Amino acid sequence: LKVLSHIDSILRSPRAPPLIYRRSKGPVQNYTKENGQECGFEHLPLTIEMWADQLMALKDLHRSLRKLSLELVPWHAADPQDNRESIRVEDLQFVVDAILEEIENKEQNSQMPSLPTLRAIVSHFQKLFDVNSLSGVYPRMNEVYTKLGEMTNAMRNLHELLELDSSAPPTVVVDTVGKLCDIINENVTEQVQQLLGTQDIHSIIKKLEEHECFFPPFQALIQDLLCLLEISNLDDILPTVRSLK
């Protein structure tokens, strides 16, 4: 009776799972405590049998997890207590945690390119930028980076000067610059025509020919006067000539 009372106190402990203690709904059994109340563990043999089956299944589950672990993480040393009689839930949790950690590491490493991929990238860069050796890859990378920065700054400045949207493609920038050049050329032509006093291209050519015929002799005359009067400035010619009168 003392043994049954001790068992009953264990079953009623707050740490005991609800499954192992269930007050009987049927007739009270012959097992009674000292105070005359029923013990309430008439179903305990069935529960113990179920637990025994679960413990056997726990060993099988541990064996299966170890096999899976050897496939996924073969470099993990085998547990020297694998063959022990009792298997705890902590042992299973340890194996599962090791497998999960390996899976997470593989997911992180899968984001890193493989060696063949890296070789293909370097080879493609060499072809694109005409690099003959691996030692020339880094200098060409730096050169490309510098040129790209210069081009980016130039395009940004052109967008601001031409009052274009920052999203305008380079073709729009080139077209705008071309239009500005056309406008400037037209203005220069008009100014030349106004300067020469004619709107006819043939008249312009004729006036240029006249100037070409006139200026060489005029320049020679001026040079002779400068030498004769022993002066070096054109503005001194007239005052010097007046002083000689």
PDB file of all heavy atoms in Angstrom, residues 124-161:
ATOM      1  N   HIS A 124      35.418  36.017 -69.785  1.00  0.00           N
ATOM      2  CA  HIS A 124      34.533  36.924 -70.523  1.00  0.00           C
ATOM      3  C   HIS A 124      35.025  38.366 -70.428  1.00  0.00           C
ATOM      4  O   HIS A 124      34.987  39.112 -71.418  1.00  0.00           O
ATOM      5  CB  HIS A 124      33.119  36.809 -69.952  1.00  0.00           C
ATOM      6  CG  HIS A 124      32.082  37.552 -70.738  1.00  0.00           C
ATOM      7  ND1 HIS A 124      31.798  37.276 -72.058  1.00  0.00           N
ATOM      8  CD2 HIS A 124      31.271  38.588 -70.380  1.00  0.00           C
ATOM      9  CE1 HIS A 124      30.860  38.102 -72.486  1.00  0.00           C
ATOM     10  NE2 HIS A 124      30.529  38.909 -71.494  1.00  0.00           N
ATOM     11  N   PHE A 125      35.508  38.759 -69.258  1.00  0.00           N
ATOM     12  CA  PHE A 125      36.060  40.109 -69.104  1.00  0.00           C
ATOM     13  C   PHE A 125      37.275  40.302 -70.003  1.00  0.00           C
ATOM     14  O   PHE A 125      37.444  41.367 -70.624  1.00  0.00           O
ATOM     15  CB  PHE A 125      36.434  40.346 -67.633  1.00  0.00           C
ATOM     16  CG  PHE A 125      36.989  41.708 -67.359  1.00  0.00           C
ATOM     17  CD1 PHE A 125      36.150  42.761 -67.048  1.00  0.00           C
ATOM     18  CD2 PHE A 125      38.363  41.937 -67.411  1.00  0.00           C
ATOM     19  CE1 PHE A 125      36.661  44.027 -66.799  1.00  0.00           C
ATOM     20  CE2 PHE A 125      38.876  43.201 -67.162  1.00  0.00           C
ATOM     21  CZ  PHE A 125      38.031  44.240 -66.859  1.00  0.00           C
ATOM     22  N   GLN A 126      38.138  39.282 -70.081  1.00  0.00           N
ATOM     23  CA  GLN A 126      39.319  39.382 -70.941  1.00  0.00           C
ATOM     24  C   GLN A 126      38.934  39.566 -72.400  1.00  0.00           C
ATOM     25  O   GLN A 126      39.570  40.332 -73.133  1.00  0.00           O
ATOM     26  CB  GLN A 126      40.188  38.137 -70.770  1.00  0.00           C
ATOM     27  CG  GLN A 126      40.905  38.070 -69.419  1.00  0.00           C
ATOM     28  CD  GLN A 126      41.785  36.851 -69.307  1.00  0.00           C
ATOM     29  OE1 GLN A 126      41.360  35.817 -68.820  1.00  0.00           O
ATOM     30  NE2 GLN A 126      43.012  36.943 -69.790  1.00  0.00           N
ATOM     31  N   LYS A 127      37.876  38.872 -72.833  1.00  0.00           N
ATOM     32  CA  LYS A 127      37.448  38.995 -74.222  1.00  0.00           C
ATOM     33  C   LYS A 127      36.830  40.362 -74.491  1.00  0.00           C
ATOM     34  O   LYS A 127      37.071  40.975 -75.529  1.00  0.00           O
ATOM     35  CB  LYS A 127      36.441  37.889 -74.545  1.00  0.00           C
ATOM     36  CG  LYS A 127      37.047  36.490 -74.583  1.00  0.00           C
ATOM     37  CD  LYS A 127      35.993  35.438 -74.893  1.00  0.00           C
ATOM     38  CE  LYS A 127      36.593  34.045 -74.918  1.00  0.00           C
ATOM     39  NZ  LYS A 127      35.554  32.998 -75.185  1.00  0.00           N
ATOM     40  N   LEU A 128      36.027  40.844 -73.556  1.00  0.00           N
ATOM     41  CA  LEU A 128      35.351  42.124 -73.759  1.00  0.00           C
ATOM     42  C   LEU A 128      36.332  43.287 -73.820  1.00  0.00           C
ATOM     43  O   LEU A 128      36.169  44.200 -74.650  1.00  0.00           O
ATOM     44  CB  LEU A 128      34.335  42.360 -72.633  1.00  0.00           C
ATOM     45  CG  LEU A 128      33.051  41.517 -72.649  1.00  0.00           C
ATOM     46  CD1 LEU A 128      32.197  41.856 -71.443  1.00  0.00           C
ATOM     47  CD2 LEU A 128      32.255  41.737 -73.931  1.00  0.00           C
ATOM     48  N   PHE A 129      37.351  43.253 -72.954  1.00  0.00           N
ATOM     49  CA  PHE A 129      38.241  44.407 -72.836  1.00  0.00           C
ATOM     50  C   PHE A 129      39.655  44.107 -73.322  1.00  0.00           C
ATOM     51  O   PHE A 129      40.589  44.841 -72.988  1.00  0.00           O
ATOM     52  CB  PHE A 129      38.276  44.881 -71.373  1.00  0.00           C
ATOM     53  CG  PHE A 129      36.930  45.338 -70.884  1.00  0.00           C
ATOM     54  CD1 PHE A 129      36.131  44.502 -70.115  1.00  0.00           C
ATOM     55  CD2 PHE A 129      36.451  46.600 -71.194  1.00  0.00           C
ATOM     56  CE1 PHE A 129      34.891  44.926 -69.670  1.00  0.00           C
ATOM     57  CE2 PHE A 129      35.214  47.026 -70.748  1.00  0.00           C
ATOM     58  CZ  PHE A 129      34.426  46.187 -69.983  1.00  0.00           C
ATOM     59  N   ASP A 130      39.791  43.051 -74.119  1.00  0.00           N
ATOM     60  CA  ASP A 130      41.047  42.749 -74.802  1.00  0.00           C
ATOM     61  C   ASP A 130      42.216  42.661 -73.814  1.00  0.00           C
ATOM     62  O   ASP A 130      43.215  43.373 -73.929  1.00  0.00           O
ATOM     63  CB  ASP A 130      41.327  43.810 -75.869  1.00  0.00           C
ATOM     64  CG  ASP A 130      42.436  43.377 -76.827  1.00  0.00           C
ATOM     65  OD1 ASP A 130      42.678  42.166 -76.938  1.00  0.00           O
ATOM     66  OD2 ASP A 130      43.052  44.255 -77.455  1.00  0.00           O
ATOM     67  N   VAL A 131      42.072  41.791 -72.822  1.00  0.00           N
ATOM     68  CA  VAL A 131      43.128  41.572 -71.827  1.00  0.00           C
ATOM     69  C   VAL A 131      43.746  40.211 -72.118  1.00  0.00           C
ATOM     70  O   VAL A 131      43.058  39.188 -72.113  1.00  0.00           O
ATOM     71  CB  VAL A 131      42.565  41.606 -70.388  1.00  0.00           C
ATOM     72  CG1 VAL A 131      43.684  41.420 -69.379  1.00  0.00           C
ATOM     73  CG2 VAL A 131      41.840  42.918 -70.140  1.00  0.00           C
ATOM     74  N   ASN A 132      45.049  40.190 -72.355  1.00  0.00           N
ATOM     75  CA  ASN A 132      45.708  38.951 -72.775  1.00  0.00           C
ATOM     76  C   ASN A 132      46.124  38.052 -71.616  1.00  0.00           C
ATOM     77  O   ASN A 132      46.268  36.850 -71.788  1.00  0.00           O
ATOM     78  CB  ASN A 132      46.949  39.282 -73.615  1.00  0.00           C
ATOM     79  CG  ASN A 132      46.583  40.004 -74.900  1.00  0.00           C
ATOM     80  OD1 ASN A 132      45.538  39.731 -75.490  1.00  0.00           O
ATOM     81  ND2 ASN A 132      47.426  40.931 -75.325  1.00  0.00           N
ATOM     82  N   SER A 133      46.330  38.630 -70.437  1.00  0.00           N
ATOM     83  CA  SER A 133      46.821  37.838 -69.306  1.00  0.00           C
ATOM     84  C   SER A 133      46.019  38.164 -68.057  1.00  0.00           C
ATOM     85  O   SER A 133      45.366  39.207 -67.963  1.00  0.00           O
ATOM     86  CB  SER A 133      48.305  38.118 -69.062  1.00  0.00           C
ATOM     87  OG  SER A 133      48.497  39.481 -68.703  1.00  0.00           O
ATOM     88  N   LEU A 134      46.082  37.251 -67.079  1.00  0.00           N
ATOM     89  CA  LEU A 134      45.387  37.481 -65.821  1.00  0.00           C
ATOM     90  C   LEU A 134      45.958  38.670 -65.067  1.00  0.00           C
ATOM     91  O   LEU A 134      45.235  39.380 -64.360  1.00  0.00           O
ATOM     92  CB  LEU A 134      45.461  36.230 -64.947  1.00  0.00           C
ATOM     93  CG  LEU A 134      44.647  35.014 -65.415  1.00  0.00           C
ATOM     94  CD1 LEU A 134      44.887  33.832 -64.483  1.00  0.00           C
ATOM     95  CD2 LEU A 134      43.162  35.345 -65.473  1.00  0.00           C
ATOM     96  N   SER A 135      47.275  38.891 -65.215  1.00  0.00           N
ATOM     97  CA  SER A 135      47.890  40.018 -64.507  1.00  0.00           C
ATOM     98  C   SER A 135      47.378  41.360 -65.010  1.00  0.00           C
ATOM     99  O   SER A 135      47.489  42.371 -64.312  1.00  0.00           O
ATOM    100  CB  SER A 135      49.415  39.955 -64.649  1.00  0.00           C
ATOM    101  OG  SER A 135      49.783  40.012 -66.028  1.00  0.00           O
ATOM    102  N   GLY A 136      46.818  41.362 -66.216  1.00  0.00           N
ATOM    103  CA  GLY A 136      46.302  42.621 -66.761  1.00  0.00           C
ATOM    104  C   GLY A 136      44.844  42.868 -66.458  1.00  0.00           C
ATOM    105  O   GLY A 136      44.307  43.917 -66.852  1.00  0.00           O
ATOM    106  N   VAL A 137      44.195  41.930 -65.749  1.00  0.00           N
ATOM    107  CA  VAL A 137      42.762  42.086 -65.475  1.00  0.00           C
ATOM    108  C   VAL A 137      42.515  43.241 -64.512  1.00  0.00           C
ATOM    109  O   VAL A 137      41.679  44.114 -64.756  1.00  0.00           O
ATOM    110  CB  VAL A 137      42.177  40.771 -64.914  1.00  0.00           C
ATOM    111  CG1 VAL A 137      40.761  40.994 -64.403  1.00  0.00           C
ATOM    112  CG2 VAL A 137      42.179  39.690 -65.993  1.00  0.00           C
ATOM    113  N   TYR A 138      43.268  43.268 -63.403  1.00  0.00           N
ATOM    114  CA  TYR A 138      43.046  44.325 -62.402  1.00  0.00           C
ATOM    115  C   TYR A 138      43.346  45.727 -62.965  1.00  0.00           C
ATOM    116  O   TYR A 138      42.551  46.655 -62.755  1.00  0.00           O
ATOM    117  CB  TYR A 138      43.873  44.048 -61.153  1.00  0.00           C
ATOM    118  CG  TYR A 138      43.251  43.026 -60.238  1.00  0.00           C
ATOM    119  CD1 TYR A 138      43.811  41.765 -60.076  1.00  0.00           C
ATOM    120  CD2 TYR A 138      42.089  43.316 -59.533  1.00  0.00           C
ATOM    121  CE1 TYR A 138      43.235  40.822 -59.242  1.00  0.00           C
ATOM    122  CE2 TYR A 138      41.508  42.377 -58.691  1.00  0.00           C
ATOM    123  CZ  TYR A 138      42.086  41.129 -58.549  1.00  0.00           C
ATOM    124  OH  TYR A 138      41.520  40.192 -57.731  1.00  0.00           O
ATOM    125  N   PRO A 139      44.491  45.931 -63.662  1.00  0.00           N
ATOM    126  CA  PRO A 139      44.712  47.266 -64.238  1.00  0.00           C
ATOM    127  C   PRO A 139      43.615  47.686 -65.205  1.00  0.00           C
ATOM    128  O   PRO A 139      43.190  48.847 -65.218  1.00  0.00           O
ATOM    129  CB  PRO A 139      46.067  47.120 -64.949  1.00  0.00           C
ATOM    130  CG  PRO A 139      46.760  46.013 -64.229  1.00  0.00           C
ATOM    131  CD  PRO A 139      45.680  45.058 -63.839  1.00  0.00           C
ATOM    132  N   ARG A 140      43.124  46.718 -66.025  1.00  0.00           N
ATOM    133  CA  ARG A 140      42.078  47.087 -66.968  1.00  0.00           C
ATOM    134  C   ARG A 140      40.768  47.380 -66.236  1.00  0.00           C
ATOM    135  O   ARG A 140      40.007  48.272 -66.637  1.00  0.00           O
ATOM    136  CB  ARG A 140      41.880  45.968 -67.987  1.00  0.00           C
ATOM    137  CG  ARG A 140      40.881  46.309 -69.101  1.00  0.00           C
ATOM    138  CD  ARG A 140      41.283  47.590 -69.846  1.00  0.00           C
ATOM    139  NE  ARG A 140      42.607  47.479 -70.415  1.00  0.00           N
ATOM    140  CZ  ARG A 140      42.856  46.953 -71.614  1.00  0.00           C
ATOM    141  NH1 ARG A 140      41.853  46.497 -72.348  1.00  0.00           N
ATOM    142  NH2 ARG A 140      44.089  46.906 -72.063  1.00  0.00           N
ATOM    143  N   MET A 141      40.503  46.646 -65.152  1.00  0.00           N
ATOM    144  CA  MET A 141      39.326  46.949 -64.344  1.00  0.00           C
ATOM    145  C   MET A 141      39.381  48.373 -63.800  1.00  0.00           C
ATOM    146  O   MET A 141      38.394  49.118 -63.851  1.00  0.00           O
ATOM    147  CB  MET A 141      39.205  45.961 -63.177  1.00  0.00           C
ATOM    148  CG  MET A 141      38.657  44.600 -63.550  1.00  0.00           C
ATOM    149  SD  MET A 141      38.451  43.561 -62.070  1.00  0.00           S
ATOM    150  CE  MET A 141      37.681  42.112 -62.805  1.00  0.00           C
ATOM    151  N   ASN A 142      40.559  48.753 -63.279  1.00  0.00           N
ATOM    152  CA  ASN A 142      40.715  50.114 -62.761  1.00  0.00           C
ATOM    153  C   ASN A 142      40.546  51.149 -63.861  1.00  0.00           C
ATOM    154  O   ASN A 142      39.931  52.206 -63.651  1.00  0.00           O
ATOM    155  CB  ASN A 142      42.093  50.265 -62.112  1.00  0.00           C
ATOM    156  CG  ASN A 142      42.252  49.397 -60.876  1.00  0.00           C
ATOM    157  OD1 ASN A 142      41.277  49.078 -60.205  1.00  0.00           O
ATOM    158  ND2 ASN A 142      43.477  49.001 -60.576  1.00  0.00           N
ATOM    159  N   GLU A 143      41.082  50.841 -65.032  1.00  0.00           N
ATOM    160  CA  GLU A 143      40.949  51.769 -66.159  1.00  0.00           C
ATOM    161  C   GLU A 143      39.489  51.919 -66.575  1.00  0.00           C
ATOM    162  O   GLU A 143      39.006  53.036 -66.817  1.00  0.00           O
ATOM    163  CB  GLU A 143      41.793  51.263 -67.336  1.00  0.00           C
ATOM    164  CG  GLU A 143      41.741  52.176 -68.551  1.00  0.00           C
ATOM    165  CD  GLU A 143      42.545  51.619 -69.717  1.00  0.00           C
ATOM    166  OE1 GLU A 143      43.238  50.595 -69.520  1.00  0.00           O
ATOM    167  OE2 GLU A 143      42.467  52.187 -70.817  1.00  0.00           O
ATOM    168  N   VAL A 144      38.797  50.792 -66.662  1.00  0.00           N
ATOM    169  CA  VAL A 144      37.386  50.840 -67.039  1.00  0.00           C
ATOM    170  C   VAL A 144      36.576  51.605 -65.999  1.00  0.00           C
ATOM    171  O   VAL A 144      35.702  52.416 -66.336  1.00  0.00           O
ATOM    172  CB  VAL A 144      36.831  49.407 -67.210  1.00  0.00           C
ATOM    173  CG1 VAL A 144      35.316  49.422 -67.375  1.00  0.00           C
ATOM    174  CG2 VAL A 144      37.474  48.737 -68.413  1.00  0.00           C
ATOM    175  N   TYR A 145      36.894  51.382 -64.724  1.00  0.00           N
ATOM    176  CA  TYR A 145      36.183  52.087 -63.652  1.00  0.00           C
ATOM    177  C   TYR A 145      36.416  53.593 -63.740  1.00  0.00           C
ATOM    178  O   TYR A 145      35.483  54.399 -63.591  1.00  0.00           O
ATOM    179  CB  TYR A 145      36.649  51.552 -62.305  1.00  0.00           C
ATOM    180  CG  TYR A 145      36.018  52.241 -61.125  1.00  0.00           C
ATOM    181  CD1 TYR A 145      34.725  51.921 -60.710  1.00  0.00           C
ATOM    182  CD2 TYR A 145      36.713  53.222 -60.423  1.00  0.00           C
ATOM    183  CE1 TYR A 145      34.144  52.560 -59.625  1.00  0.00           C
ATOM    184  CE2 TYR A 145      36.133  53.866 -59.339  1.00  0.00           C
ATOM    185  CZ  TYR A 145      34.850  53.521 -58.949  1.00  0.00           C
ATOM    186  OH  TYR A 145      34.283  54.173 -57.880  1.00  0.00           O
ATOM    187  N   THR A 146      37.672  53.995 -64.015  1.00  0.00           N
ATOM    188  CA  THR A 146      37.984  55.423 -64.135  1.00  0.00           C
ATOM    189  C   THR A 146      37.271  56.050 -65.326  1.00  0.00           C
ATOM    190  O   THR A 146      36.667  57.133 -65.220  1.00  0.00           O
ATOM    191  CB  THR A 146      39.506  55.611 -64.279  1.00  0.00           C
ATOM    192  OG1 THR A 146      40.161  55.040 -63.143  1.00  0.00           O
ATOM    193  CG2 THR A 146      39.858  57.084 -64.366  1.00  0.00           C
ATOM    194  N   LYS A 147      37.325  55.373 -66.481  1.00  0.00           N
ATOM    195  CA  LYS A 147      36.651  55.898 -67.666  1.00  0.00           C
ATOM    196  C   LYS A 147      35.149  55.985 -67.468  1.00  0.00           C
ATOM    197  O   LYS A 147      34.501  56.943 -67.903  1.00  0.00           O
ATOM    198  CB  LYS A 147      36.968  55.003 -68.872  1.00  0.00           C
ATOM    199  CG  LYS A 147      38.431  55.000 -69.293  1.00  0.00           C
ATOM    200  CD  LYS A 147      38.870  56.365 -69.779  1.00  0.00           C
ATOM    201  CE  LYS A 147      40.313  56.321 -70.260  1.00  0.00           C
ATOM    202  NZ  LYS A 147      40.782  57.670 -70.700  1.00  0.00           N
ATOM    203  N   LEU A 148      34.601  54.979 -66.797  1.00  0.00           N
ATOM    204  CA  LEU A 148      33.165  54.999 -66.537  1.00  0.00           C
ATOM    205  C   LEU A 148      32.793  56.175 -65.644  1.00  0.00           C
ATOM    206  O   LEU A 148      31.774  56.851 -65.869  1.00  0.00           O
ATOM    207  CB  LEU A 148      32.741  53.685 -65.882  1.00  0.00           C
ATOM    208  CG  LEU A 148      31.254  53.562 -65.506  1.00  0.00           C
ATOM    209  CD1 LEU A 148      30.388  53.677 -66.745  1.00  0.00           C
ATOM    210  CD2 LEU A 148      30.978  52.250 -64.788  1.00  0.00           C
ATOM    211  N   GLY A 149      33.618  56.448 -64.620  1.00  0.00           N
ATOM    212  CA  GLY A 149      33.351  57.598 -63.761  1.00  0.00           C
ATOM    213  C   GLY A 149      33.418  58.914 -64.521  1.00  0.00           C
ATOM    214  O   GLY A 149      32.579  59.803 -64.333  1.00  0.00           O
ATOM    215  N   GLU A 150      34.428  59.048 -65.403  1.00  0.00           N
ATOM    216  CA  GLU A 150      34.544  60.274 -66.200  1.00  0.00           C
ATOM    217  C   GLU A 150      33.344  60.445 -67.122  1.00  0.00           C
ATOM    218  O   GLU A 150      32.791  61.553 -67.254  1.00  0.00           O
ATOM    219  CB  GLU A 150      35.833  60.230 -67.024  1.00  0.00           C
ATOM    220  CG  GLU A 150      37.103  60.271 -66.174  1.00  0.00           C
ATOM    221  CD  GLU A 150      38.350  60.120 -67.010  1.00  0.00           C
ATOM    222  OE1 GLU A 150      38.212  59.855 -68.242  1.00  0.00           O
ATOM    223  OE2 GLU A 150      39.462  60.257 -66.477  1.00  0.00           O
ATOM    224  N   MET A 151      32.929  59.357 -67.764  1.00  0.00           N
ATOM    225  CA  MET A 151      31.787  59.438 -68.662  1.00  0.00           C
ATOM    226  C   MET A 151      30.512  59.773 -67.905  1.00  0.00           C
ATOM    227  O   MET A 151      29.691  60.584 -68.364  1.00  0.00           O
ATOM    228  CB  MET A 151      31.611  58.114 -69.408  1.00  0.00           C
ATOM    229  CG  MET A 151      30.510  58.152 -70.465  1.00  0.00           C
ATOM    230  SD  MET A 151      30.074  56.515 -71.071  1.00  0.00           S
ATOM    231  CE  MET A 151      29.264  55.824 -69.642  1.00  0.00           C
ATOM    232  N   THR A 152      30.349  59.172 -66.722  1.00  0.00           N
ATOM    233  CA  THR A 152      29.154  59.446 -65.916  1.00  0.00           C
ATOM    234  C   THR A 152      29.098  60.913 -65.512  1.00  0.00           C
ATOM    235  O   THR A 152      28.041  61.562 -65.590  1.00  0.00           O
ATOM    236  CB  THR A 152      29.140  58.550 -64.672  1.00  0.00           C
ATOM    237  OG1 THR A 152      29.177  57.174 -65.074  1.00  0.00           O
ATOM    238  CG2 THR A 152      27.891  58.788 -63.843  1.00  0.00           C
ATOM    239  N   ASN A 153      30.239  61.467 -65.077  1.00  0.00           N
ATOM    240  CA  ASN A 153      30.276  62.882 -64.704  1.00  0.00           C
ATOM    241  C   ASN A 153      30.003  63.782 -65.905  1.00  0.00           C
ATOM    242  O   ASN A 153      29.277  64.788 -65.791  1.00  0.00           O
ATOM    243  CB  ASN A 153      31.643  63.226 -64.099  1.00  0.00           C
ATOM    244  CG  ASN A 153      31.864  62.558 -62.754  1.00  0.00           C
ATOM    245  OD1 ASN A 153      30.913  62.265 -62.047  1.00  0.00           O
ATOM    246  ND2 ASN A 153      33.116  62.307 -62.413  1.00  0.00           N
ATOM    247  N   ALA A 154      30.588  63.431 -67.057  1.00  0.00           N
ATOM    248  CA  ALA A 154      30.365  64.240 -68.259  1.00  0.00           C
ATOM    249  C   ALA A 154      28.902  64.225 -68.672  1.00  0.00           C
ATOM    250  O   ALA A 154      28.312  65.269 -69.003  1.00  0.00           O
ATOM    251  CB  ALA A 154      31.245  63.726 -69.402  1.00  0.00           C
ATOM    252  N   MET A 155      28.283  63.053 -68.636  1.00  0.00           N
ATOM    253  CA  MET A 155      26.872  62.959 -69.009  1.00  0.00           C
ATOM    254  C   MET A 155      26.000  63.718 -68.019  1.00  0.00           C
ATOM    255  O   MET A 155      25.036  64.390 -68.415  1.00  0.00           O
ATOM    256  CB  MET A 155      26.447  61.496 -69.066  1.00  0.00           C
ATOM    257  CG  MET A 155      27.070  60.714 -70.203  1.00  0.00           C
ATOM    258  SD  MET A 155      26.623  61.375 -71.826  1.00  0.00           S
ATOM    259  CE  MET A 155      24.857  61.087 -71.818  1.00  0.00           C
ATOM    260  N   ARG A 156      26.338  63.661 -66.735  1.00  0.00           N
ATOM    261  CA  ARG A 156      25.550  64.391 -65.741  1.00  0.00           C
ATOM    262  C   ARG A 156      25.660  65.903 -65.966  1.00  0.00           C
ATOM    263  O   ARG A 156      24.658  66.635 -65.904  1.00  0.00           O
ATOM    264  CB  ARG A 156      26.017  64.024 -64.340  1.00  0.00           C
ATOM    265  CG  ARG A 156      25.206  64.720 -63.248  1.00  0.00           C
ATOM    266  CD  ARG A 156      25.513  64.187 -61.859  1.00  0.00           C
ATOM    267  NE  ARG A 156      26.917  64.291 -61.516  1.00  0.00           N
ATOM    268  CZ  ARG A 156      27.748  63.250 -61.436  1.00  0.00           C
ATOM    269  NH1 ARG A 156      27.315  62.036 -61.694  1.00  0.00           N
ATOM    270  NH2 ARG A 156      29.017  63.415 -61.113  1.00  0.00           N
ATOM    271  N   ASN A 157      26.868  66.384 -66.289  1.00  0.00           N
ATOM    272  CA  ASN A 157      27.041  67.808 -66.555  1.00  0.00           C
ATOM    273  C   ASN A 157      26.311  68.236 -67.823  1.00  0.00           C
ATOM    274  O   ASN A 157      25.719  69.327 -67.874  1.00  0.00           O
ATOM    275  CB  ASN A 157      28.531  68.130 -66.677  1.00  0.00           C
ATOM    276  CG  ASN A 157      29.271  67.950 -65.363  1.00  0.00           C
ATOM    277  OD1 ASN A 157      28.669  68.071 -64.301  1.00  0.00           O
ATOM    278  ND2 ASN A 157      30.559  67.641 -65.430  1.00  0.00           N
ATOM    279  N   LEU A 158      26.347  67.390 -68.843  1.00  0.00           N
ATOM    280  CA  LEU A 158      25.633  67.713 -70.082  1.00  0.00           C
ATOM    281  C   LEU A 158      24.128  67.765 -69.854  1.00  0.00           C
ATOM    282  O   LEU A 158      23.434  68.635 -70.399  1.00  0.00           O
ATOM    283  CB  LEU A 158      25.967  66.686 -71.166  1.00  0.00           C
ATOM    284  CG  LEU A 158      27.351  66.810 -71.811  1.00  0.00           C
ATOM    285  CD1 LEU A 158      27.614  65.649 -72.760  1.00  0.00           C
ATOM    286  CD2 LEU A 158      27.468  68.130 -72.567  1.00  0.00           C
ATOM    287  N   HIS A 159      23.617  66.839 -69.046  1.00  0.00           N
ATOM    288  CA  HIS A 159      22.188  66.870 -68.729  1.00  0.00           C
ATOM    289  C   HIS A 159      21.811  68.187 -68.057  1.00  0.00           C
ATOM    290  O   HIS A 159      20.759  68.771 -68.357  1.00  0.00           O
ATOM    291  CB  HIS A 159      21.815  65.694 -67.816  1.00  0.00           C
ATOM    292  CG  HIS A 159      21.623  64.398 -68.535  1.00  0.00           C
ATOM    293  ND1 HIS A 159      22.633  63.490 -68.713  1.00  0.00           N
ATOM    294  CD2 HIS A 159      20.525  63.852 -69.130  1.00  0.00           C
ATOM    295  CE1 HIS A 159      22.175  62.437 -69.375  1.00  0.00           C
ATOM    296  NE2 HIS A 159      20.900  62.629 -69.645  1.00  0.00           N
ATOM    297  N   GLU A 160      22.681  68.651 -67.159  1.00  0.00           N
ATOM    298  CA  GLU A 160      22.376  69.899 -66.463  1.00  0.00           C
ATOM    299  C   GLU A 160      22.500  71.099 -67.392  1.00  0.00           C
ATOM    300  O   GLU A 160      21.643  71.998 -67.386  1.00  0.00           O
ATOM    301  CB  GLU A 160      23.328  70.055 -65.270  1.00  0.00           C
ATOM    302  CG  GLU A 160      23.115  69.004 -64.180  1.00  0.00           C
ATOM    303  CD  GLU A 160      24.109  69.147 -63.049  1.00  0.00           C
ATOM    304  OE1 GLU A 160      25.001  70.025 -63.160  1.00  0.00           O
ATOM    305  OE2 GLU A 160      24.010  68.389 -62.064  1.00  0.00           O
ATOM    306  N   LEU A 161      23.550  71.139 -68.231  1.00  0.00           N
ATOM    307  CA  LEU A 161      23.752  72.270 -69.136  1.00  0.00           C
ATOM    308  C   LEU A 161      22.655  72.347 -70.191  1.00  0.00           C
ATOM    309  O   LEU A 161      22.201  73.442 -70.556  1.00  0.00           O
ATOM    310  CB  LEU A 161      25.123  72.159 -69.817  1.00  0.00           C
ATOM    311  CG  LEU A 161      26.343  72.362 -68.905  1.00  0.00           C
ATOM    312  CD1 LEU A 161      27.624  72.069 -69.675  1.00  0.00           C
ATOM    313  CD2 LEU A 161      26.370  73.791 -68.360  1.00  0.00           C
TER     314      LEU A 161
END
